[in-house]
Amino acid sequence: MEAGGRTTPAWMAVAAAMAMMAHYIGSKAVRDAVFLSNFAVSSLPQMVMAAAGFSYLSVLLSSRAMSRWTPGRLVPAAFGVSALLTLAVWSQMAAFPKLTAVLLYLQIVSLGPLLTSGFWSIVSESFDPRESKRQVGRIAGGGSVGGVLG
């Protein structure tokens, strides 16, 4: 353990960044595959525009929520909500393939970046500036490895 007892939280953040980015990159591939197996390629521009609008609304809502709760409370809850939404969408995929393809697309486009941003907010609050300077590169490296794995 390093001085100040910060090794364990730093390595936990590395593992979390790795898992988060592997999931996000992999889910983007699944999102596109599911959408394009249910809709024609010509419908993709409309979906991208709808997703942009949905993302804008998500940012507004998350900004308001962030002013009420700290990232340490809000972000883990948001990860849990995202996991539950994923399970709900996947459980209905066979019964409602088009609807779930759209919902999955919106979820991944809007929640993925918000969760990633929230993760980095927690990281920035978790370490003092000197410690952060030593650990952020390691954590980002874990995220990069996760991106490759995804």
Side-chain angles (χ1 to χ4, degrees):
M1 184 173 278
E2 290 178 8
R6 302 308 288 182
T7 297
T8 301
W11 283 108
M12 288 172 59
V14 169
M18 194 179 297
M20 178 183 63
M21 292 310 297
H23 176 270
Y24 182 56
I25 298 300
S27 68
K28 286 170 56 174
V30 170
R31 169 202 74 193
D32 293 343
V34 169
F35 185 81
L36 293 172
S37 25
N38 286 287
F39 294 95
V41 171
S42 61
S43 62
L44 193 56
Q46 293 94 334
M47 188 68 234
V48 170
M49 287 187 291
F54 189 76
S55 292
Y56 179 74
L57 292 175
S58 298
V59 167
L60 290 177
L61 289 173
S62 69
S63 297
R64 293 189 105 207
M66 202 65 87
S67 68
R68 290 187 83 190
W69 300 290
T70 64
R73 287 186 60 202
L74 182 64
V75 175
F79 270 101
V81 167
S82 180
L84 291 174
L85 285 171
T86 300
L87 290 173
V89 166
W90 282 111
S91 73
Q92 298 303 308
M93 186 73 64
F96 306 101
K98 289 187 182 293
L99 175 62
T100 55
V102 169
L103 293 175
L104 183 67
Y105 199 100
L106 293 174
Q107 177 187 355
I108 292 169
V109 165
S110 64
L111 283 180
L114 288 175
L115 294 173
T116 302
S117 176
F119 169 80
W120 284 107
S121 292
I122 291 173
V123 167
S124 70
E125 289 182 351
S126 297
F127 300 103
D128 64 60
R130 185 172 294 143
E131 183 71 15
S132 182
K133 194 173 186 178
R134 286 195 297 262
Q135 302 298 348
V136 166
R138 183 181 299 162
I139 296 166
S144 296
V145 170
V148 170
L149 294 173

